[in-house]
Amino acid sequence: NLSGKIPSEFGLLSNLGNFGAGRNHLNGTIPTEIGLMSSIATFSIGSNYLTGPIPQEFSNLQNLVFLNLASNAFTGTIPAALGAMTGLTAVNLAGNSFSGDVPPPICNSESISELVADCHLNGCPCCTGCADTLTPTLSPTIIATGAPSPSPTGRPSPHPTPLPSPGPTGSPVRPETPAPTDCEPQLNWVHDDKCIEVGQPLTFSFENCNPQFGDFIGIYDKREDSWNLPGPLLWTWSCGTQNCQGTPVKKTIVFDKDSVDKENGEWPLPKGDYFAYFVRNTGIPYEAFLSSEKIKVKDAGKC
């Protein structure tokens, strides 16, 4: 895990095209030298402890396509100059403590097609998603530059170590409650056979030591990249509602004809191979934090 401040020398990396350092322990402010990174296309630092305002120097990054500042402790106003960045297509500002409304130049931008903010704190009539009402998107949003963070090989372990709790900002997104020592994050497919038939319920045992606002469980085709996920085929809030708080969650989650409707997918899943992922809802592309084993769905009589 990365910790400490982003050094001002970072701005000297003028040839860097993509930077992803989400879900770490970075703190302090974003240095103004960030405006010197003339080649940067993807800048993703969601879920850290960063503070202070968004530097106006971001407007110098005319090659920037994807900007993710979600779930930090940023303050101040949202720079109107972001709306003048003609290459910028996706912006996530949710989970911070900005003041004032989202400026009209951002809403009037012809290039920004995905904009997520805290609509309960910052007026945003043009937002495509609001942190206080956000649900996982059921159709993927295409981002030209790919994943905002390097994609390690392999799928996430079914039992990774608990995630660090993001820094407090007064937003309901990040309750800071330490995980108890007897809590073990897990997402296990509960089944009696090596596969299930089309239309049979999908059941999972799930434990989350550090629940946060918007956490969800999604079902994905096995071919999807677990570090660069689109919207899920099926999904449900991991806490039952989107308003997860700091109390650890341990529950059974079921997908069946009674729990799935047009709002969270289409039932039944066709035959094929799938994975269930525990996902933190910070915007597309998502990253999985927990994975089930492979789920095999077959036609009747084929298991």
Side-chain angles (χ1 to χ4, degrees):
N1 291 326
L2 299 176
S3 60
K5 295 176 171 58
I6 300 175
S8 59
E9 291 80 4
F10 198 72
L12 299 176
L13 301 175
S14 58
N15 293 322
L16 184 66
N18 298 285
F19 177 67
R23 302 177 179 94
N24 281 288
H25 286 148
L26 298 177
N27 57 45
T29 60
I30 299 176
T32 56
E33 287 81 1
I34 201 76
L36 300 175
M37 301 178 70
S38 56
S39 299
I40 198 76
T42 296
F43 190 84
S44 181
I45 52 172
S47 297
N48 277 284
Y49 296 82
L50 294 161
T51 59
I54 300 176
Q56 293 288 342
E57 285 76 8
F58 262 111
S59 62
N60 296 335
L61 307 180
Q62 290 303 313
N63 288 316
L64 190 64
V65 175
F66 180 87
L67 176 64
N68 180 11
L69 305 179
S71 298
N72 278 282
F74 292 117
T75 55
T77 58
I78 299 169
L82 294 179
M85 300 171 66
T86 56
L88 192 60
T89 64
V91 181
N92 192 341
L93 305 174
N96 286 287
S97 296
F98 295 118
S99 58
D101 295 344
V102 174
I106 295 178
C107 284
N108 296 333
S109 168
E110 295 183 357
S111 63
I112 297 175
S113 59
E114 181 180 357
L115 176 62
V116 182
D118 294 302
C119 300
H120 63 296
L121 296 177
N122 312 113
C124 188
C126 61
C127 278
T128 57
C130 295
D132 45 345
T133 58
L134 199 60
T135 59
T137 309
L138 295 183
S139 58
T141 298
I142 304 301
I143 294 182
T145 57
S149 58
S151 298
T153 57
R155 296 188 177 274
S157 167
H159 304 290
T161 54
L163 296 170
S165 176
T169 66
S171 166
V173 178
R174 293 175 309 284
E176 192 174 25
T177 302
T181 57
D182 60 348
C183 182
E184 182 180 6
Q186 58 182 302
L187 177 60
N188 296 320
W189 177 34
V190 179
H191 57 103
D192 296 325
D193 208 338
K194 61 183 179 181
C195 68
I196 61 171
E197 296 179 356
V198 172
Q200 288 185 320
L202 280 171
T203 304
F204 302 91
S205 61
F206 172 67
E207 189 166 1
N208 180 9
C209 304
N210 182 28
Q212 295 185 29
F213 183 90
D215 289 349
F216 71 94
I217 305 295
I219 307 297
Y220 288 87
D221 187 282
K222 72 169 185 177
R223 293 167 292 186
E224 297 290 358
D225 179 0
S226 61
W227 292 84
N228 189 22
L229 292 168
L233 299 171
L234 304 174
W235 67 271
T236 186
W237 298 118
S238 62
C239 296
T241 72
Q242 69 187 112
N243 295 313
C244 288
Q245 299 298 323
T247 304
V249 173
K250 186 175 184 179
K251 62 183 298 186
T252 298
I253 292 176
V254 179
F255 292 92
D256 58 17
K257 62 182 180 64
D258 296 321
S259 62
V260 176
D261 56 35
K262 64 180 181 179
E263 296 296 326
N264 62 338
E266 294 186 9
W267 185 263
L269 283 174
K271 67 177 181 179
D273 294 340
Y274 305 89
F275 284 93
Y277 293 126
F278 165 59
V279 179
R280 193 129 282 167
N281 192 17
T282 55
I284 292 174
Y286 302 118
E287 293 180 11
F289 285 93
L290 293 174
S291 172
S292 71
E293 64 182 287
K294 186 188 294 183
I295 303 162
K296 294 181 177 292
V297 180
K298 297 189 176 183
D299 289 329
K302 298 296 184 180
C303 281

